Amino acid sequence: DGPGLCIVLAAVGVGGARATWLLRQPVLRWLARRRLDRAHAQRLSDLTQLEARLATEPAEALIGITRLWQQHFAADTGLQLRALTARELAEQLPTTPLADAAPPLVALSAAEAQAAYAGRPVTAETVADALARLRALLADDYTRRRRALS
């Protein structure tokens, strides 16, 4: 009884360890997809809140939109996006994974700087356009990241 039970327990232990090892990658991918889904949902919630401010505080909404994209894409670029001027962004973004999205992001940052620092008025239409562009960029980025985790 004693040696047979030990052999059975050892086999179950080895089998369990092997099953855990085999399931490790799928579980890690599932966890990564779950984190990605939650982060994307939070970004969409942030955009909805900014959209609500659009009619009453367009300049503040524009500043929020700019900060949102800079925060979201900072890890992808390796740049301190918030510290860069629109001119510096125009020079450096094309050398990052955001090269395709660089022109609208630079334009968004330039408009935000004009509103925040020069006190230029911002129209709700300008902010709505920026919001739509950012929503599309975030959707594309989410799709790309989700595919990479499949």
Side-chain angles (χ1 to χ4, degrees), residues 65-113:
I65 291 167
T66 303
R67 289 190 177 150
L68 184 65
W69 83 257
Q70 289 170 339
Q71 177 186 10
H72 180 78
F73 290 114
D76 290 346
T77 63
L79 301 172
Q80 294 291 328
L81 296 173
R82 191 74 195 133
L84 299 176
T85 65
R87 182 175 302 181
E88 292 167 334
L89 284 171
E91 293 169 357
Q92 295 184 27
L93 277 182
T95 65
T96 69
L98 294 175
D100 293 340
L105 293 177
V106 169
L108 181 59
S109 291
E112 183 259 344

Side-chain angles (χ1 to χ4, degrees), residues 123-145:
T123 64
E125 293 81 27
T126 301
V127 180
D129 182 49
L131 191 66
R133 278 192 251 154
L134 182 58
R135 195 178 298 274
L137 285 172
L138 290 175
D140 291 345
D141 183 61
Y142 171 74
T143 301
R144 179 185 58 81
R145 291 174 192 251

Side-chain angles (χ1 to χ4, degrees), residues 10-65:
V12 168
V14 169
R18 185 171 182 189
T20 301
W21 180 255
L22 291 174
L23 293 175
R24 182 174 170 263
Q25 288 300 336
V27 169
L28 290 175
R29 278 196 307 272
W30 176 79
L31 289 171
R33 282 192 304 267
R34 188 171 174 199
R35 279 191 304 273
L36 178 66
D37 292 346
R38 286 183 176 179
H40 185 65
Q42 180 61 49
R43 296 286 187 250
L44 293 179
S45 173
D46 293 345
L47 284 175
T48 301
Q49 290 174 3
L50 290 168
E51 196 170 24
R53 296 173 68 184
L54 182 66
T56 58
E57 302 171 314
E60 292 300 319
L62 182 62
I63 292 167
I65 291 167

